[in-house]
Amino acid sequence: MPLRFQHNKIYTYIGEVLVSVNPYKTLDIYGQQHMAQYRGREMFEVPPHVYAVADACQRVLRQQGRDTCVLISGESGSGKTEASKFIMKYIAANTMQVHREYIDRVKNVLIQSNSILETFGNAKTNRNDNSSRFGKYMDIHFDYKGDPVGGHISNYLLEKSRVVSLQPGERNFHAFYQLLSANATHAKKFGLNPNSTYKILGNERPTAQDSKLYNVTNSAFNALGFPPAVVDNIWSIVSGVILLGELTINDAGEGQISVGGPMKQCANAFGVSEEALRTALAGRILSAGGELVSKDHSLTDANYTRLALAKAAYDRLFTWIVQQINKKIEAPEDSYKSSLIGVLDIYGFEIFDTNSFEQFCINYCNEKLQQLFIELVLKQEQEEYAREGIQWTPVQYFNNRIICELIDAPHQGIIAIMDEACLNPTKISDTQLLEAMDKRLSGHKHYTSRQLSPTDKKLKHGVDFRITHYAGEVTYSITGFMDKNKDSLWQDLKRLLHASRNAALRDMWPEGAARLQQTSKRPPSAATLFRSSMAALAAGLASKEPFYVRCVKPNPAQAPHAWDDRLVRHQVAYLGLVENVRVRRAGFASRQRYDRFLQRYKMLSQYTWPNFRGAGARDAVAVLLRDLQLTDVLFGHTKLFIRSARTIHSLEAARAELIPSIVVLLQKLWRGTLARIRYRKMKAAIVIYYAWKRYRFRRYIASLQSEMQRNRGVIQRWPPGGGIAAPLLQGAYRRWRAYLTLRGVPREQWPQLKLKICAASALRSRRSQWGAAREWRGDYLAINSYNAKSALYQSAIASLQRSQNIGKPLFSCKIHKFNRYNKLAERCLLITETSIYKLDANSFKPLKKPTPITEVGAVRAMSSGAQLVVVSVPSARNDLVLGLVPPSGEPDLLGELVGVLAHRYRLLSGAELAVEVESGATTRCTLGGKLRALQLPPSPAAQPPAHLHARAQRHHLPPRLGARLNEYSPVM
């Protein structure tokens, strides 16, 4: 192993267990080309690598449909977290292309979540610059194709005591330093200064790397879909925890205490009032016999409350973030979850100068995982050999069950003793707890203390106790065990945080909604909760096919190329690698039941495919192996044992080579059968269909002939039925009727007839006169009798066609245009194929920007003969209010204008133009952004013209305008 390490070969196999040595430097062995090298390859075919384990894990899941898990273990700083990242990266990349968009989203969430969890759950220790201070287990769910469809993250025992207590040379969680880095915007909001010193940061300060990671964390929040308001809430809670560390609590005399420091900023960060926070820190309210009693805190209790609030707020924040990530990555309810891969990245075994409650739980976790490894790899394997009658020389190994029972045995273990002390109505000190442990565990060979070993001067009397773990002896300090195990927080603080303006913080404390008089059951202790979660984790892992990655730390200085042989030997011993080597060398790589082996590999022999005609599965397997000439096997009572992994891989390779041809054969036969059945059904259906179609068609034609005979060639009512022939016949009939109608009309009058039809559909029976009887000449300004300057007009239009490509003029005339100031101006109107132009009456140049015909919302006219037109343009703030000036002898131009606009609008937009005809003397329009009502003056026999009234919703035409109207409104 040292020689391989010197040549940057950091991976080694022991059977299927991967041993990974942390190189403490970046190696170029994790790119896409390396992924391709391991994709679909057997482990022995390629050099050892974490990608090979990930591929083998995913192959078992896809081929056999079995749940798998990757157990990553090792000492703190040995590279467990990095190994889990590479496994996640490989699994995410090695998917199929179907539903790629959704799969890419799941991959992105799974990978991006690592950045967030490291920010809030990792810290620098004396052994590791990026140590995971929590345990993480992730289940990745896959569909039947082997593509990820979601996941779930479980977190275990965040080391929240680090928030308020740091060992020398260590840093707090990364989140605090990122928040106080140079480019952090959230810190300024709460008055935090990157250059200031804060107690919970210890002697460490933010660095340039923290600034970069702050941006990475926020990018990860954004990638996971966290709203900006939620991200602000998260950083505000982190700010509040920092500011809690700066609060000062002093004795104010007469049993009172005073709370000083940045109270206002701290309350603002937590979203509570300053007075409510001060009250919660200074005292608490108790419920006794249904009555509420207020109790002031002592100086010690107040400081304890402040620190407990800081730890609890950060712990709940971390758990809440994990819950939000789970919501982003959980599989949809309607998705099919076929199997899963679990990835465990949990604390390494820790031995510090001072080991407290957290190290006790962490090392207990490692004991449980080691016990699982012994049960799955060593003990069960050797027991199976004896059970199946295989000759075997047992390999001696240390079973750490006795250590696990020392800690978690009911009524007798250390956790049970601590829980009994917490349930005692009187306050039990840490020293009294140690005395109870000494009394109950005095005869256990893996437990000792100074009281039990008076000559051991390394143990402090009344403080230290020692447990001989499988990894070595660890001395724990009993100080703080009782408080950390109780993990209690006053109900007043829970109610305070539940009432916060910070929505995320309020969501983290649902129990704060309980009434003051309501009493609840004492919550389980921290150690009991952790023991239950470890038991559930071990049970879940035991039900899956395990793959192991054993991480080794080469030296304590985290230096590349340095090899500490003594340290490595110690790790190899307590990781159980020596026993694993012995068992693997002497044992069998694989064992399978006869029926399953036969079902999987029977296609490899002509004697067993497709079915064996012998006595049973064992005889069939014997015939199969004899035909394949495989000898490195032994026959057990119920299973076949195969010694070499290469034999398994050769069988799988041969099977994989035959499967496509077998599948193609089965598909060919079944598809041919289905095709023949479908063809016969289709042929019969076609015969029936055409016979029925001819019959129905003949009946329909007969009914049409009868209808035309009754009505002299006119079909007044189409008979029902007809199928697809009915629209064809109706179209032919309409064309025939149109031909009869139009055959007397000259061809050159058809374009004008189209316009008159459009005008008739809009104005017929709604306006008495609309020019239907006269000839529509369209471009009236080009007629010399109507416009004395027709030559100038034609020259101007020709210039516009060259410069602006306005198209062919369809309609033009003289108009009177009205504006929002009741001003009347003489203008000319021009309608081309696409737009409406207002022209100067003298030079015929366009005024302002033309109005596209497609932007016209509606056209309004009067039911009388008035030539007043309102062209509504919703996109503008002013409608076109026009008075048309018809040629002499032709009293109406409005019908022709409506016909041209309706025809072009339908051609350009595919919809019908809305034409509104007002029946009274008032019409609506929008002028200057306001809704107005234009009222025509009465006839000369009636009263004098109305005057303008200064009202916002009604706009009467002035007398001058009425006179103008009379000029071109002869009906009035």
Side-chain angles (χ1 to χ4, degrees):
M1 188 181 290
L3 185 61
R4 294 177 59 85
F5 179 72
Q6 292 174 7
H7 290 83
N8 292 328
K9 297 183 182 299
I10 62 173
Y11 295 114
T12 305
Y13 285 140
I14 301 177
E16 293 183 353
V17 176
L18 179 70
V19 180
S20 170
V21 182
N22 194 338
Y24 293 119
K25 63 180 178 181
T26 302
L27 299 178
D28 185 20
I29 56 173
Y30 302 103
Q32 291 293 333
Q33 68 277 13
H34 292 89
M35 286 188 185
Q37 180 183 355
Y38 288 87
R39 188 169 294 125
R41 305 288 296 276
E42 301 294 342
M43 294 180 66
F44 77 93
E45 296 180 293
V46 285
H49 200 288
V50 69
Y51 286 164
V53 174
D55 188 81
C57 185
Q58 202 165 14
R59 188 166 56 252
V60 169
L61 177 140
R62 286 178 171 172
Q63 293 181 353
Q64 304 179 20
R66 300 173 60 185
D67 292 344
T68 59
C69 63
V70 182
L71 305 182
I72 307 172
S73 58
E75 193 171 303
S76 178
S78 59
K80 300 185 302 300
T81 300
E82 291 300 314
S84 68
K85 288 182 185 178
F86 291 132
I87 290 174
M88 295 277 296
K89 181 180 178 181
Y90 185 88
I91 292 174
N94 191 23
T95 56
M96 300 174 66
Q97 297 294 326
V98 184
H99 307 301
R100 192 70 187 182
E101 181 179 352
Y102 175 73
I103 294 170
D104 285 342
R105 185 186 70 82
V106 174
K107 292 183 200 170
N108 186 49
V109 172
L110 294 177
I111 294 173
Q112 291 287 348
S113 63
N114 276 328
S115 301
I116 299 176
L117 296 179
E118 285 188 9
T119 294
F120 291 88
N122 287 23
K124 174 189 175 184
T125 66
N126 292 322
R127 299 186 177 187
N128 186 2
D129 290 342
N130 190 32
S131 176
S132 299
R133 307 317 299 163
F134 70 102
K136 179 179 70 173
Y137 175 71
M138 173 177 286
D139 275 331
I140 307 173
H141 295 278
F142 293 81
D143 60 12
Y144 68 94
K145 301 183 299 297
D147 291 335
V149 295
H152 182 82
I153 299 174
S154 300
N155 61 297
Y156 301 98
L157 191 67
L158 179 72
E159 189 187 12
K160 60 184 179 180
S161 63
R162 178 173 293 271
V163 173
V164 297
S165 176
L166 291 175
Q167 295 196 25
E170 295 191 347
R171 292 200 344 159
N172 217 319
F173 292 103
H174 296 328
F176 297 118
Y177 303 93
Q178 292 183 21
L179 177 62
L180 293 171
S181 58
N183 65 337
T185 57
H186 293 89
K188 301 175 183 178
K189 180 179 178 182
F190 302 101
L192 297 175
N193 188 351
N195 298 321
S196 300
T197 59
Y198 294 96
K199 294 178 182 178
I200 71 170
L201 268 63
N203 297 324
E204 301 287 336
R205 292 292 172 264
T207 63
Q209 181 67 13
D210 291 317
S211 298
K212 296 178 182 178
L213 293 177
Y214 172 78
N215 295 329
V216 172
T217 302
N218 286 320
S219 298
F221 275 130
N222 183 56
L224 295 187
F226 279 69
V230 173
V231 177
D232 291 342
N233 288 340
I234 291 173
W235 288 116
S236 70
I237 297 172
V238 178
S239 302
V241 173
I242 295 175
L243 292 169
L244 272 176
E246 300 303 305
L247 298 183
T248 58
I249 300 178
N250 301 307
D251 190 354
E254 298 181 0
Q256 301 293 320
I257 60 173
S258 63
V259 183
M263 276 292 297
K264 184 176 181 181
Q265 295 93 320
C266 184
N268 185 33
F270 282 124
V272 299
S273 67
E274 183 179 354
E275 184 59 31
L277 179 59
R278 178 178 284 105
T279 302
L281 292 176
R284 60 192 178 105
I285 298 177
L286 303 175
S287 177
E291 296 183 357
L292 301 180
V293 180
S294 177
K295 181 180 183 299
D296 293 334
H297 283 324
S298 65
L299 191 62
T300 302
D301 289 343
N303 274 302
Y304 171 82
T305 301
R306 177 178 64 89
L307 299 180
L309 177 60
K311 293 188 294 183
Y314 193 83
D315 181 62
R316 290 289 180 99
L317 170 64
F318 182 78
T319 302
W320 184 83
I321 290 174
V322 174
Q323 293 172 354
Q324 302 309 305
I325 294 175
N326 282 333
K327 292 179 182 179
K328 305 294 181 182
I329 65 177
E330 63 184 359
E333 294 182 358
D334 58 345
S335 63
Y336 176 73
K337 294 180 287 187
S338 174
S339 49
L340 59 87
I341 293 178
V343 180
L344 178 66
D345 172 18
I346 208 161
Y347 340 83
F349 197 88
E350 293 185 345
I351 305 176
F352 294 137
D353 294 336
T354 301
N355 301 286
S356 188
F357 180 79
E358 289 77 17
Q359 280 68 46
F360 172 78
C361 293
I362 288 172
N363 294 340
Y364 165 64
C365 170
N366 280 270
E367 290 283 358
K368 294 295 290 184
L369 293 178
Q370 176 66 10
Q371 184 183 13
L372 181 66
F373 175 74
I374 291 171
E375 293 287 338
L376 295 179
V377 176
L378 302 178
K379 183 179 178 181
Q380 287 186 7
E381 185 163 352
Q382 298 195 87
E383 289 178 350
E384 188 173 34
Y385 294 147
R387 188 167 55 250
E388 290 290 330
I390 302 298
Q391 292 184 357
W392 173 259
T393 302
V395 176
Q396 298 299 321
Y397 60 89
F398 171 69
N399 192 336
N400 70 330
R401 175 182 293 276
I402 187 173
I403 303 176
C404 294
E405 293 177 347
L406 166 66
I407 298 174
D408 61 11
H411 310 298
Q412 295 295 328
I414 295 177
I415 293 177
I417 297 172
M418 287 193 295
D419 286 350
E420 289 181 12
C422 292
L423 293 174
N424 196 307
T426 60
K427 186 173 183 179
I428 303 297
S429 65
D430 293 327
T431 304
Q432 291 174 315
L433 171 63
L434 180 59
E435 292 175 356
M437 291 166 55
D438 290 342
K439 182 178 180 181
R440 300 272 287 276
L441 305 173
S442 58
H444 203 289
K445 63 180 181 179
H446 290 273
Y447 173 87
T448 188
S449 67
R450 184 63 180 275
Q451 181 178 348
L452 300 178
S453 302
T455 59
D456 192 343
K457 301 298 181 62
K458 295 181 180 180
L459 297 174
K460 295 181 182 178
H461 186 76
V463 175
D464 293 343
F465 67 93
R466 180 184 297 148
I467 296 178
T468 305
H469 289 279
Y470 77 94
E473 295 182 344
V474 182
T475 301
Y476 298 98
S477 173
I478 198 67
T479 304
F481 264 59
M482 286 296 297
D483 289 338
K484 293 176 180 178
N485 189 42
K486 286 181 180 178
D487 199 22
S488 59
L489 194 69
W490 307 125
Q491 188 67 22
D492 305 67
L493 297 176
K494 297 179 181 179
R495 288 194 294 269
L496 172 73
L497 298 179
H498 181 72
S500 169
R501 298 185 299 272
N502 187 320
L505 187 61
R506 187 168 58 248
D507 189 34
M508 297 173 199
W509 297 91
E511 64 269 37
R515 294 182 296 105
L516 291 175
Q517 291 86 353
Q518 181 177 349
T519 58
S520 59
K521 185 179 179 181
R522 182 188 293 270
S525 66
T528 298
L529 289 174
F530 188 68
R531 177 181 59 185
S532 301
S533 63
M534 286 298 101
L537 175 63
L541 295 177
S543 65
K544 300 175 177 64
E545 178 76 13
F547 291 83
Y548 294 92
V549 179
R550 296 303 205 184
C551 298
V552 175
K553 184 176 182 178
N555 62 82
Q558 303 181 22
H561 306 297
W563 183 269
D564 188 332
D565 193 66
R566 181 173 175 273
L567 175 63
V568 173
R569 286 179 178 274
H570 173 69
Q571 295 175 78
V572 168
Y574 78 69
L575 287 174
L577 299 182
V578 176
E579 292 85 353
N580 192 21
V581 170
R582 292 174 181 170
V583 172
R584 285 294 176 177
R585 281 182 176 176
F588 296 84
S590 175
R591 70 293 315 265
Q592 295 187 38
R593 277 179 18 199
Y594 293 118
D595 55 343
R596 292 184 178 179
F597 184 89
L598 177 63
Q599 189 67 28
R600 187 164 186 81
Y601 301 112
K602 65 180 182 178
M603 73 284 298
L604 300 181
S605 173
Q606 60 179 336
Y607 304 110
T608 55
W609 177 259
N611 293 301
F612 179 69
R613 301 187 182 277
R618 177 168 179 166
D619 293 340
V621 171
V623 171
L624 172 62
L625 295 176
R626 188 165 53 251
D627 187 33
L628 296 177
Q629 297 180 356
L630 297 179
T631 58
D632 61 338
V633 297
L634 286 179
F635 289 83
H637 298 312
T638 62
K639 293 181 180 181
L640 176 70
F641 288 77
I642 303 174
R643 185 178 299 277
S644 173
R646 292 179 180 271
T647 301
I648 291 293
H649 300 324
S650 63
L651 288 172
E652 286 292 332
R655 181 181 183 274
E657 186 177 352
L658 284 175
I659 284 294
S661 60
I662 295 174
V663 171
V664 170
L665 174 63
L666 295 176
Q667 288 179 341
K668 180 183 70 174
L669 295 174
W670 180 240
R671 286 176 179 174
T673 302
L674 292 179
R676 285 187 289 274
I677 295 173
R678 192 180 303 114
Y679 171 75
R680 287 193 291 269
K681 289 182 178 179
M682 290 172 58
K683 192 172 181 179
I686 289 174
V687 172
I688 296 171
Y689 169 72
Y690 279 117
W692 174 250
K693 182 179 178 181
R694 288 192 296 271
Y695 170 73
R696 290 293 302 271
F697 192 70
R698 286 194 297 269
R699 287 188 58 186
Y700 191 72
I701 294 295
S703 62
L704 287 180
Q705 292 174 343
S706 301
E707 179 71 14
M708 294 182 68
Q709 290 174 0
R710 285 195 302 268
N711 300 298
R712 297 182 180 181
V714 177
I715 299 179
Q716 296 180 350
R717 185 183 65 85
W718 286 84
I724 60 174
L728 298 176
L729 294 173
Q730 291 176 9
Y733 174 77
R734 286 194 296 268
R735 288 191 294 272
W736 176 66
R737 293 291 300 177
Y739 166 75
L740 294 178
T741 304
L742 295 175
R743 65 181 174 179
V745 180
R747 173 72 66 171
E748 60 271 11
Q749 294 184 12
W750 283 18
Q752 186 176 140
L753 187 60
K754 290 182 180 180
L755 302 180
K756 289 185 177 181
I757 291 173
C758 290
S761 64
L763 300 175
R764 187 179 61 183
S765 74
R766 302 168 68 187
R767 181 181 171 91
S768 59
Q769 297 184 20
W770 51 277
R774 67 176 182 84
E775 179 185 359
W776 288 5
R777 287 178 281 180
D779 194 4
Y780 291 93
L781 291 177
I783 303 174
N784 192 42
S785 61
Y786 177 76
N787 178 19
K789 300 179 180 180
S790 61
L792 178 60
Y793 163 76
Q794 291 176 351
S795 176
I797 293 301
S799 176
L800 286 173
Q801 287 176 334
R802 288 192 302 269
S803 61
Q804 300 182 17
N805 193 21
I806 64 173
K808 179 182 177 182
L810 302 179
F811 179 83
S812 65
C813 71
K814 298 176 183 179
I815 61 171
H816 292 100
K817 178 184 174 296
F818 311 112
N819 61 18
R820 55 180 173 174
Y821 303 111
N822 302 325
K823 297 271 180 85
L824 183 67
E826 294 184 0
R827 297 284 187 267
C828 291
L829 178 69
L830 171 64
I831 300 178
T832 67
E833 294 172 336
T834 59
S835 304
I836 303 174
Y837 291 83
K838 292 173 288 183
L839 306 179
D840 184 84
N842 296 317
S843 63
F844 303 106
K845 292 183 178 180
L847 300 176
K848 297 186 178 180
K849 186 179 179 181
T851 301
I853 293 177
T854 55
E855 293 186 6
V856 174
V859 175
R860 301 189 186 93
M862 312 297 293
S863 60
S864 62
Q867 298 297 293
L868 180 64
V869 180
V870 177
V871 180
S872 175
V873 185
S875 61
R877 296 175 58 85
N878 291 297
D879 292 343
L880 298 178
V881 184
L882 312 173
L884 306 181
V885 180
S888 59
E890 298 179 2
D892 191 278
L893 285 180
L894 189 142
E896 186 172 356
L897 171 65
V898 171
V900 171
L901 281 177
H903 180 64
R904 293 306 302 172
Y905 186 87
R906 183 171 59 188
L907 290 179
L908 294 173
S909 66
E912 296 293 334
L913 177 65
V915 179
E916 303 174 4
V917 180
E918 304 286 356
S919 60
T922 303
T923 185
R924 294 168 288 112
C925 67
T926 300
L927 293 175
K930 297 182 180 179
L931 183 65
R932 309 290 181 89
L934 287 173
Q935 180 175 341
L936 295 177
S939 61
Q943 57 185 0
H947 291 276
L948 177 66
H949 297 279
R951 290 187 296 177
Q953 299 298 325
R954 193 165 184 83
H955 183 211
H956 297 279
L957 298 179
R960 174 173 172 270
L961 185 55
R964 292 283 185 178
L965 284 173
N966 288 333
E967 291 178 5
Y968 56 82
S969 303
V971 179
M972 295 171 54

